[in-house]
Amino acid sequence: MTTRHRWAGLIAGLLLSFTGLAHAQAGTQTLPLWPDGHLPQTVSGPELVGNEGSSMGAVTRVSQPRLEIHQPANPNGTAVLILGGGGYFRIQVGTAARPMAQWLASIGVTSAVLYYRMPVDGWPASAPFADGQRAMRLLRAHADALGIDPTKIGVMGSSAGANLAGILSTRFDHDFYPALDASDRLPSRPDFLAMLYPVVTLKPPYDTTRSRRELATQPDAVEAYSVEGHVRSDMPPVFLAHAADDRIADVQHSLLMFQAARAQNVPAELHVFDRGGHSWGLGKPGTQVAQWPRLFVTWARAHGFMAAPPVSLQPLTGETAPLAPPPVDDADADLEEDGD
């Protein structure tokens, strides 16, 4: 029996125990990560969305972790779990994660924005990693309903979200939560990894990020969540993009990841742009960093994770790309709050 046939049989059985996405169609659906009543009532107050400055579109106080699934009209079989940044104290959804999801859907890729729990709200430091691991398994459990190939599900993270993506891609044999149901029998390893202006390490001299401070509630966080220390030969291929003038997450984060991957013979591609700063999402039209979507698609196709789309479906760049988030002012840079 082939690997694909084994996947099909297992997922077909799992689908019998799930509801909500059995007849998924083009558009946006929401999939809760955990059953009602499974999580304690930890967060005080309602979920909030920022409406000004660097908090524009950023989500805080997540108490109901979930997937916001963007289903393309003509799925090409590829899926991407999208992890927005925010220093593990908020998630840049409106200016980064959601535009990425909409772009991916426009080229036939099923995408899922993860609303994950954060330690700033009283959750353990491991909570976002548990949510990410569960999200990968649920995407595989719903692969048939979503029209995706369970062997072509990748993860794309920006800033702190890239730290989360990196840990999911390197520590996939560590269970961040006890098995709950049939979906937890499925692998959580992503098939490919994209890291945009990532927070890779929590170690000095690059331990100045908000991510480092928020994860510090776990005594061994520095070792547990410094991605470069967990890089391994059987992890997925890596795509990296960073700006050399990033004042929030130094470009050395990406260089560390690239070097660690190469040392383990993991396929890795790194793009360093001269200018761009931090938290650019898809990139403002006309800027250097706005090149990354096409570079990523070329890389994904070269590795066999994405088929060529119809001529009418092309990555959003140039004048059609959504605008990047507002520029970071000095106060935000000093506080490292623009989405690390």
Side-chain angles (χ1 to χ4, degrees), residues 76-298:
N76 64 12
T78 302
V80 177
L81 175 65
I82 301 178
L83 308 174
Y88 290 108
F89 81 105
R90 64 188 182 196
I91 307 171
Q92 294 285 3
V93 173
T95 60
R98 186 175 293 127
M100 290 178 192
Q102 293 167 339
W103 156 61
L104 285 167
S106 78
I107 59 171
V109 176
T110 301
S111 56
V113 176
L114 178 61
Y115 289 68
Y116 53 87
R117 292 169 293 157
M118 291 166 279
V120 71
D121 295 314
W123 299 105
S126 60
F129 305 98
D131 289 347
Q133 197 168 63
R134 173 78 171 173
M136 285 298 305
R137 289 168 171 157
L138 287 183
L139 285 174
R140 288 201 166 101
H142 290 88
D144 187 60
L146 291 169
I148 58 181
D149 182 338
T151 66
K152 293 183 179 179
I153 303 177
V155 62
M156 176 181 289
S158 54
S159 201
N163 176 267
L164 174 49
I167 293 298
L168 295 181
S169 299
T170 55
R171 299 187 63 194
F172 48 83
D173 54 2
H174 173 82
D175 289 322
F176 286 96
Y177 63 95
L180 180 64
D181 52 31
S183 67
D184 291 327
R185 290 160 40 202
L186 294 172
S188 65
R189 177 188 179 277
D191 295 302
F192 55 91
L193 167 63
M195 306 177 79
L196 311 172
Y197 40 95
V199 174
V200 170
T201 188
L202 306 184
K203 298 178 181 180
Y206 307 111
D207 57 344
T208 59
T209 63
R210 182 70 180 260
S211 299
R212 165 68 177 84
R213 296 203 297 273
E214 294 298 339
L215 293 175
T217 55
Q218 182 173 319
D220 67 343
V222 172
E223 295 299 328
Y225 306 128
S226 289
V227 183
E228 79 282 6
H230 300 285
V231 168
R232 49 197 285 180
S233 61
D234 58 347
M235 68 173 289
V238 187
F239 174 91
L240 293 147
H242 217 124
D245 64 349
D246 191 329
R247 293 187 297 147
I248 306 299
D250 193 283
V251 70
Q252 285 294 331
H253 284 271
S254 280
L255 295 174
L256 280 172
M257 187 66 191
F258 180 76
Q259 291 165 353
R262 295 290 294 171
Q264 292 291 329
N265 294 315
V266 175
E269 181 168 309
L270 168 62
H271 297 276
V272 177
F273 303 104
D274 181 36
R275 289 181 292 177
H278 191 75
S279 196
W280 15 271
L282 285 178
K284 186 176 180 179
T287 63
Q288 295 175 9
V289 294
Q291 301 175 72
W292 81 260
R294 287 188 182 275
L295 293 170
F296 167 74
V297 170
T298 300

